[in-house]
């Protein structure tokens, strides 16, 4: 400790204290001008720095405001561009869908020049319909009639059961009300399609009224016979999954998986006309009318 009082650092400290005391005594004797000048000398750089900071902050605020306006304008422009792109995307999907439909139409028309087909889109499904019926966006104003077949490029979907001005209701292959004369292309065995709630849930239909001598096998392709006049000939229906005996043990039936994914189908065609449409129905009606009309009397009355 004694050595510290003899060090150079202690001597400098003591000298500094005396200088400061002398400065204070001097300033008290001559007034506060020196102190003010000294404070002004010390504060001047700080004022310059403060002024510079304030000025720069104002410039920065202006730049930020300008940038915010520019960003808002750019954001609005991007939103408009996104809206246009969405509209273009919707148009693209619409055009793509139409192109696919037209391609299917052309393919079907090349094979069946007598077909008059109307493209339609599924617009509604009843979740309570266990047979997967649906509504489409085409109605009587577009030429749709009750009992018109409903198909896709893959095969039969069902038929038009109700017609309104601008929409229609379609009953599918899964409905018990759908009965179609059908034939196995390989064996030429014929039967009638049908369905029930259990089969519909499994995505299958039944080809009934097969004789015990039939040669239908799993993998056989089933098509329409065209004999009813409601469906044209050779429309694809589905593929045989299994052949079983009825409960009676006499006749057989085949379980058929439709070619069309009926539960999820979105685009269909309504066959508004084709060669032979309704001919059997018209013939039957004429026969009924002839039977109901009275026979002429011998006297010609």
């Amino acid at each position: 400790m004694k050595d510290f009082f003899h060090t150079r650092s202690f001597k400098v400290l003591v000298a500094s204290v005396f200088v400061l005391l002398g400065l204070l005594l001097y300033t008290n004797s001559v007034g506060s001008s020196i102190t003010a000048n000294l404070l002004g000398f010390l504060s001047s750089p700080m004022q310059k720095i403060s002024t510079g900071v304030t000025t720069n902050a104002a410039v920065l605020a202006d730049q930020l405001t300008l940038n915010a306006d520019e960003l808002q304008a750019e954001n609005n422009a991007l939103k408009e561009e996104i809206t246009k792109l969405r509209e273009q995307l919707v148009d693209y999907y619409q055009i793509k869908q139409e192109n696919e439909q037209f391609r299917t139409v052309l393919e079907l028309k090349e094979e069946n020049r007598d077909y008059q087909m109307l493209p339609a889109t599924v617009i509604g499904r009843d979740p309570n319909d266990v047979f997967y019926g649906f509504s489409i966006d085409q109605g009587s104003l577009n030429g749709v009639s009750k009992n018109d077949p409903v198909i896709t490029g893959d095969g039969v979907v069902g038929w038009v059961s109700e017609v309104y001005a601008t929409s229609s209701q379609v009953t599918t292959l899964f409905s018990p009300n759908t009965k179609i004369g059908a034939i196995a292309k390989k064996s030429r065995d014929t039967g009638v399609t049908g369905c029930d709630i259990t089969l519909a849930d499994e995505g299958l239909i039944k080809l009934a009224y097969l004789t015990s001598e039939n040669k239908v096998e799993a993998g056989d392709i089933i098509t329409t016979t065209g004999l009813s006049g409601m469906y044209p000939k050779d429309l694809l229906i589905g593929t045989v999954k299994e052949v079983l005996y009825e409960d009676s043990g006499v006749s057989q039936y085949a379980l058929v998986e439709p070619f069309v994914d009926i539960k999820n189908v979105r685009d269909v065609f309504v066959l508004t006309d084709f060669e032979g449409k309704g001919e059997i129905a018209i013939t039957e009606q004429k026969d009924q009318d002839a039977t109901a009309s009275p026979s002429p009397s011998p006297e010609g009355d």
Side-chain angles (χ1 to χ4, degrees):
M1 184 68 179
K2 292 180 180 181
D3 293 337
F4 173 73
F5 293 107
H6 297 284
T7 61
R8 184 178 178 182
S9 298
F10 177 74
K11 293 177 181 180
V12 172
L13 178 62
V14 171
S16 299
V17 170
F18 279 112
V19 170
L20 290 174
L21 288 173
L23 181 62
L24 289 172
L25 292 172
Y26 178 75
T27 55
N28 285 332
S29 63
V30 299
S32 61
S33 60
I34 295 177
T35 304
N37 291 335
L38 180 60
L39 291 175
F41 173 76
L42 294 175
S43 64
S44 179
M46 298 301 297
Q47 289 177 347
K48 291 181 179 180
I49 294 173
S50 176
T51 303
V53 170
T54 304
T55 303
N56 291 334
V59 172
L60 180 59
D62 292 338
Q63 290 178 347
L64 289 175
T65 302
L66 180 61
N67 289 338
D69 293 339
E70 291 177 349
L71 287 174
Q72 185 62 43
E74 184 177 355
N75 187 35
N76 293 336
L78 288 174
K79 286 182 178 179
E80 292 179 2
E81 185 175 355
I82 289 173
T83 301
K84 291 180 181 179
L85 288 175
R86 285 175 178 169
E87 293 174 352
Q88 292 175 1
L89 189 60
V90 171
D91 292 339
Y92 164 76
Y93 286 133
Q94 181 67 27
I95 293 172
K96 181 181 179 182
Q97 172 191 334
E98 292 176 353
N99 285 340
E100 291 175 353
Q101 289 180 320
F102 291 148
R103 182 168 59 252
T104 304
V105 168
L106 289 176
E107 291 174 355
L108 290 172
K109 289 287 287 183
E110 287 178 358
E111 299 175 1
N112 308 276
R113 298 187 179 279
D114 58 311
Y115 284 7
Q116 297 296 320
M117 293 183 294
L118 184 66
T121 299
V122 176
I123 58 174
R125 292 180 182 273
D126 183 357
N128 297 317
D129 186 351
V130 295
F131 303 115
Y132 304 97
F134 54 84
S135 56
I136 57 176
D137 61 350
Q138 303 285 9
S140 58
L141 295 179
N142 310 104
V144 178
S145 302
K146 190 173 181 178
N147 296 329
D148 281 348
V150 178
I151 66 172
T152 71
D154 295 323
V156 178
V157 176
W159 52 286
V160 176
S161 52
E162 296 290 341
V163 182
Y164 310 101
T166 58
S167 64
S168 300
Q169 184 68 27
V170 176
T171 297
T172 71
L173 284 173
F174 292 140
S175 172
N177 296 324
T178 302
K179 306 292 183 183
I180 305 175
I183 184 171
K185 296 301 289 183
K186 182 179 178 181
S187 67
R188 310 303 295 170
D189 289 294
T190 60
V192 177
T193 67
C195 198
D196 56 38
I197 187 171
T198 302
L199 289 175
D201 185 59
E202 296 175 0
L204 300 173
I205 62 173
K206 180 179 181 179
L207 180 63
Y209 305 113
L210 297 175
T211 66
S212 57
E213 292 81 18
N214 81 84
K215 297 179 180 179
V216 177
E217 298 176 346
D220 284 353
I221 294 175
I222 306 300
T223 66
T224 57
T225 61
L227 296 178
S228 67
M230 184 171 176
Y231 294 89
K233 182 180 179 181
D234 290 334
L235 282 178
L236 294 171
I237 295 178
T239 304
V240 174
K241 304 296 291 182
E242 188 178 5
V243 179
L244 303 169
Y245 274 95
E246 297 281 5
D247 294 338
S248 63
V250 177
S251 60
Q252 292 180 303
Y253 66 93
L255 294 179
V256 178
E257 182 179 9
F259 286 119
V260 180
D261 182 7
I262 294 174
K263 295 180 181 181
N264 298 300
V265 67
R266 296 181 179 180
D267 299 299
V268 297
F269 296 97
V270 180
L271 279 179
T272 57
D273 196 15
F274 56 89
E275 186 177 349
K277 179 182 179 181
E279 286 185 356
I280 293 180
I282 294 173
T283 301
E284 290 177 350
Q285 184 63 45
K286 288 182 178 178
D287 292 341
Q288 292 176 2
D289 293 342
T291 303
S293 60
S295 301
S297 63
E299 292 80 16
D301 294 337

